[in-house]
Amino acid sequence: MFLYIFLLILAVVGACLFVAYRRILNPVTETIDITRFPKKFDQRKELEDSDYDVVIVGGGPAGATTGYYLAKAGKKVLILEKKKFPRDKICGDAICKTGVEILMDMGIWDILVKENKTHVADYGGLVSPGGLSYIGHTEQIYGDIPAATACKRIILDEVIARTAQKEGAELLESTPVKDAVFDSSAGMWNVLIEDSDVQYRGRVLICADGSTSKLGMQLGLVTQPPQGTCSRAFIKNHKFKADGVMFYPRDILPGYGVLLKHPNNEVNFCCYIIPGNPKLTNDTLSHWHHYFLEEDPCVSKAVGKKADIERMKVGSLRIGGEPITYGDHVLLVGDAGGFVDPMTGEGIHTALDSGRIAAKFLVEAFEVGNFDKQLMKEYQNRWMKAFGNDFKWSNAIVQFMYRYPILLDAGTAAILRKGDEYLARWGDVMTGRVPKVNLLRPEFAIVIGYELMVLLFKRFFLGGYEKPLKLE
């Protein structure tokens, strides 16, 4: 009888929370009718032959994707990349489902698969703070579009940039930008190059220069340093048999460690320090990186004693979205805009998505002939609707993860009970494919709530509930 009453209470609470979300906690994102703005510029009639419709600073996934879709729409685009391809980028290398769809749309996905440059994560799972674990298969459940795939950034970034170039965007490599000055009378940006007298002029400027966003800082759009950090080390001759596993030791929450398999049986190990734990700073990254590889019982065993481990490399994370990602004739995309999920530290798919959103929006703005700040705000409304509102929920969830690690234990216990189908639905939430508010739906709230009660009973009356994981 008690069990039925408990389940009924959980169902009512879950339903109330979901209704509260729909009506109160997730207000309709503002929409601006950009067609009501007066025309100030008439497409390319007022531009010199050497001028560009859009100048993009940064040739990473966000910048190159923006350039691809703008060029495809017939715009004259210049992409300025400070380094020469191929060039590396410290990253977890996981491309989530939305990103895979965009790569498919750009004609890139089939190339990566055919040339064995990506590895689809089918056999994967997680290890909870309390030691519960599950690894299952999801490829058949997801079908043709996987929840995640791994591709080295030294490969991915160049492929996207070359695809944008083939579509018609002009790509200049080894061209670091020194500054950009806006000529308000002409409505044009003058982009200055380091150690050169050369300047490039464009109607619209896109800052896609990464998480540190030097240009965004200079323009006053980015006002604070990156909040998080991550490590990376490629590993060969390991014992890891799965495709991807996330590890959540209690003391590093809401951060985590992850092993992700690449083609040719190479593994990428990453450690994420994510804001939310007052006991951790970015300076603790090295400690945790080496703790996972040398002391963590699961990770160290999966890696093995004879593994060839690359020296740790470090990257920064700008998380949760910048408050303002627009200005007169200028937008931020990708890491420059902080488009990294606060819960997972993943940002490739949101970088790609932000580039596609920015390009579509700018095509409409060119039709209107106006790029004032008030109109450009609509870009922010659109990315907020696409993934920004979900960042708010991620911020709330990481606080719960840090304060109540047993909730992750309960989620893992629910996956253990329900199996691969439930793991796939959990994966959709974790990768941002499905909004995280869906965790309030009865299918999650009731099942996880029930497992929480079971775990609390085991903890207080049976002495614990850990279950060892076999990764070999």
Side-chain angles (χ1 to χ4, degrees):
M1 177 62 71
F2 171 77
L3 176 61
Y4 290 113
I5 295 175
F6 171 71
L7 292 176
L8 179 61
I9 292 173
L10 275 180
V12 172
V13 171
C16 290
L17 287 173
F18 191 74
V19 171
Y21 158 73
R22 300 293 294 179
R23 296 186 178 181
I24 302 173
L25 301 179
N26 190 41
V28 176
T29 304
E30 177 186 0
T31 300
I32 297 174
D33 180 9
I34 65 174
T35 61
R36 66 180 176 83
F37 286 79
K39 181 182 288 288
K40 291 188 175 182
F41 308 100
D42 190 6
Q43 296 285 353
R44 290 196 52 81
K45 290 183 180 180
E46 301 172 18
L47 299 182
E48 301 291 337
D49 290 340
S50 60
D51 293 340
Y52 295 88
D53 293 317
V54 182
V55 176
I56 301 171
V57 179
T65 300
T66 307
Y68 169 85
Y69 282 104
L70 284 170
K72 189 174 183 179
K75 301 306 173 188
K76 186 178 180 182
V77 181
L78 174 64
I79 302 174
L80 301 173
E81 167 58 38
K82 68 179 180 180
K83 296 183 179 180
K84 182 174 178 59
F85 290 110
R87 54 101 173 104
D88 200 7
K89 167 70 166 63
I90 309 306
C91 179
D93 297 334
I95 309 170
C96 300
K97 197 169 187 176
T98 298
V100 173
E101 287 182 328
I102 295 173
L103 293 178
M104 288 179 173
D105 187 57
M106 297 172 70
I108 294 173
W109 176 250
D110 288 341
I111 296 174
L112 294 176
V113 173
K114 182 178 179 180
E115 297 181 1
N116 192 35
K117 292 179 177 178
T118 189
H119 182 85
V120 172
D122 167 38
Y123 185 49
L126 72 162
V127 180
S128 78
L132 296 178
S133 59
Y134 183 88
I135 297 180
H137 293 277
T138 57
E139 187 172 12
Q140 290 186 347
I141 298 171
Y142 286 122
D144 294 334
I145 306 176
T149 189
C151 181
K152 290 185 177 181
R153 290 293 298 274
I154 197 171
I155 295 171
L156 178 70
D157 289 23
E158 181 172 18
V159 172
I160 299 176
R162 299 298 179 206
T163 301
Q165 191 176 31
K166 290 179 182 178
E167 193 62 40
E170 185 176 346
L171 173 65
L172 295 182
E173 301 171 64
S174 303
T175 309
V177 170
K178 178 172 62 177
D179 200 358
V181 180
F182 184 58
D183 181 349
S184 58
S185 61
M188 297 289 289
W189 283 95
N190 296 303
V191 181
L192 288 65
I193 307 303
E194 289 184 5
D195 302 320
S196 174
D197 295 330
V198 176
Q199 296 185 22
Y200 299 99
R201 282 168 37 102
R203 182 69 74 196
V204 176
L205 176 68
I206 300 290
C207 294
D209 52 340
S211 60
T212 56
S213 193
K214 175 184 173 183
L215 185 57
M217 295 281 282
Q218 290 175 209
L219 298 179
L221 289 173
V222 178
T223 58
Q224 61 181 341
Q227 307 96 321
T229 186
C230 68
S231 66
R232 187 199 72 190
F234 287 112
I235 305 173
K236 297 180 180 179
N237 300 320
H238 53 81
K239 295 183 177 181
F240 185 61
K241 300 301 181 183
D243 293 320
V245 178
M246 302 173 75
F247 304 87
Y248 294 97
R250 182 176 284 103
D251 291 338
I252 196 178
L253 293 176
Y256 64 97
V258 60
L259 288 169
L260 186 64
K261 188 168 289 183
H262 280 258
N264 304 314
N265 202 36
E266 193 171 11
V267 166
N268 180 2
F269 170 73
C270 292
C271 176
Y272 288 84
I273 301 295
I274 295 177
N277 186 335
K279 298 178 182 178
L280 297 181
T281 67
N282 291 343
D283 293 336
T284 62
L285 177 64
S286 179
H287 162 77
W288 279 103
H289 177 93
H290 292 97
Y291 165 81
F292 272 113
L293 293 174
E294 299 167 9
E295 299 181 41
D296 182 88
C298 294
V299 177
S300 61
K301 188 175 182 180
V303 170
K305 296 181 179 180
K306 297 181 180 181
D308 296 326
I309 305 175
E310 178 190 43
R311 183 177 179 180
M312 183 186 84
K313 297 182 179 179
V314 178
S316 58
L317 300 173
R318 183 174 297 281
I319 291 175
E322 286 294 305
I324 298 178
T325 58
Y326 59 93
D328 288 325
H329 295 240
V330 61
L331 299 175
L332 301 177
V333 298
D335 285 358
F339 300 152
V340 173
D341 193 322
M343 186 174 174
T344 63
E346 299 295 342
I348 297 178
H349 65 293
T350 42
L352 296 170
D353 205 11
S354 71
R356 182 174 60 174
I357 292 169
K360 183 178 180 181
F361 164 72
L362 286 176
V363 169
E364 297 175 20
F366 273 103
E367 289 293 330
V368 174
N370 190 309
F371 308 95
D372 288 347
K373 182 178 181 179
Q374 294 81 359
L375 178 144
M376 300 291 268
K377 183 181 179 182
E378 173 61 12
Y379 162 70
Q380 177 133 346
N381 294 338
R382 295 186 185 186
W383 70 255
M384 282 294 297
K385 182 178 181 180
F387 52 79
N389 287 327
D390 199 47
F391 286 172
K392 296 179 181 180
W393 280 94
S394 291
N395 276 319
I397 291 172
V398 297
Q399 290 300 317
F400 276 96
M401 287 172 59
Y402 166 67
R403 295 176 183 175
Y404 310 106
I406 195 172
L407 292 176
L408 265 176
D409 295 333
T412 308
I415 297 172
L416 277 164
R417 181 179 296 273
K418 294 290 188 176
D420 290 354
E421 287 281 352
Y422 206 78
L423 175 66
R425 291 202 294 272
W426 177 272
D428 278 338
V429 174
M430 293 296 292
T431 60
R433 180 65 175 186
V434 173
K436 293 176 182 62
V437 70
N438 280 269
L439 290 174
L440 299 180
R441 286 182 177 273
E443 64 184 283
F444 284 108
I446 292 178
V447 177
I448 294 176
Y450 170 78
E451 296 297 341
L452 176 62
M453 297 298 294
V454 172
L455 294 182
L456 288 171
F457 177 84
K458 289 182 177 180
R459 171 179 289 181
F460 290 111
F461 297 102
L462 301 181
Y465 48 79
E466 289 78 5
K467 181 179 179 180
L469 174 67
K470 296 181 180 180
L471 289 175
E472 293 188 55

